[in-house]
Amino acid sequence: MGFQKVAERGDLWSGEMIGLEVNGERILLVNVDNHIYAYADACPHQKSRLSEGTLTDKILRCARHHWEFDVCSGSGVNPQNSC
């Protein structure tokens, strides 16, 4: 799939995240330090929506089982092999 505009930059302030559905796929947009990151809106553990979790600095925490991810790299933080 090529580029598809799904939001305006002003829709997502630094430190915010939003879950969207695009072409039947759930995606998560996260703004950290005015950089936008896009991920599948599904925790790899049990596919719960990451958009229902919390964002603290650059760490995204899943609401269901508290798995944590570094938004900037996409790497697992707790547990480290969570990706």
Side-chain angles (χ1 to χ4, degrees), residues 40-59:
D41 190 7
C43 181
H45 181 221
Q46 291 187 343
K47 306 302 180 206
S48 59
R49 291 183 182 200
L50 290 171
S51 59
E52 295 174 353
T54 57
L55 177 64
T56 304
D57 297 321
K58 65 176 185 172
I59 302 299

Side-chain angles (χ1 to χ4, degrees), residues 6-13 15-22 26-31 36-41 49-53 55 60:
V6 296
E8 296 289 331
R9 187 152 184 88
D11 293 340
L12 194 63
W13 293 28
E16 291 185 335
M17 61 181 178
I18 186 172
L20 302 168
E21 188 168 321
V22 179
R26 294 186 328 216
I27 64 166
L28 173 69
L29 298 180
V30 185
N31 185 334
I36 306 297
Y37 299 88
Y39 293 99
D41 190 7
R49 291 183 182 200
L50 290 171
S51 59
E52 295 174 353
L55 177 64
L60 174 60

Side-chain angles (χ1 to χ4, degrees), residues 4-5 11 15 19 23 26-27 31-33 35 49-50 52 57 60 62 64 68-70 73 75 78:
Q4 181 175 353
K5 186 174 184 174
D11 293 340
N23 296 330
R26 294 186 328 216
I27 64 166
N31 185 334
V32 173
D33 296 329
H35 294 348
R49 291 183 182 200
L50 290 171
E52 295 174 353
D57 297 321
L60 174 60
C62 176
R64 185 170 290 167
E68 295 178 325
F69 306 91
D70 181 319
S73 68
S75 299
N78 185 19

